[in-house]
Amino acid sequence: MSTAVLNRKSTQALDEKIRQGKAFLRDLREALEALEDRRDLAAAKKRNAGKPGTPWREAAKELGID
């Protein structure tokens, strides 16, 4: 087998590992963002505990949902 063929196979294998690594990092980033969202929601619930909520009709009006 020639050196060119070996280099091409090595490059292809490396490219595949890079693609896999990038996919893993994307998944990890999404998981971390979801965890941050859950943390923020828990903090908001704790902060607003016992406070009256906003009626749906009022919230929908503020958001432009009819």
Side-chain angles (χ1 to χ4, degrees), residues 3 8 10 12 14 24 28 33 39 41 43-44 46 53-54 56:
T3 305
R8 185 176 42 210
S10 295
Q12 289 172 343
L14 185 57
F24 177 77
L28 182 59
E33 288 172 358
R39 180 191 60 197
L41 180 59
K46 186 175 181 180
T54 303
W56 169 247

Side-chain angles (χ1 to χ4, degrees), residues 28-58:
L28 182 59
R29 187 177 297 118
E30 289 174 7
L32 287 171
E33 288 172 358
L35 287 171
E36 287 174 339
D37 291 345
R38 289 179 64 184
R39 180 191 60 197
D40 293 345
L41 180 59
K45 283 182 176 182
K46 186 175 181 180
R47 187 174 52 249
N48 293 315
K51 294 179 183 176
T54 303
W56 169 247
R57 289 189 190 276
E58 184 180 330

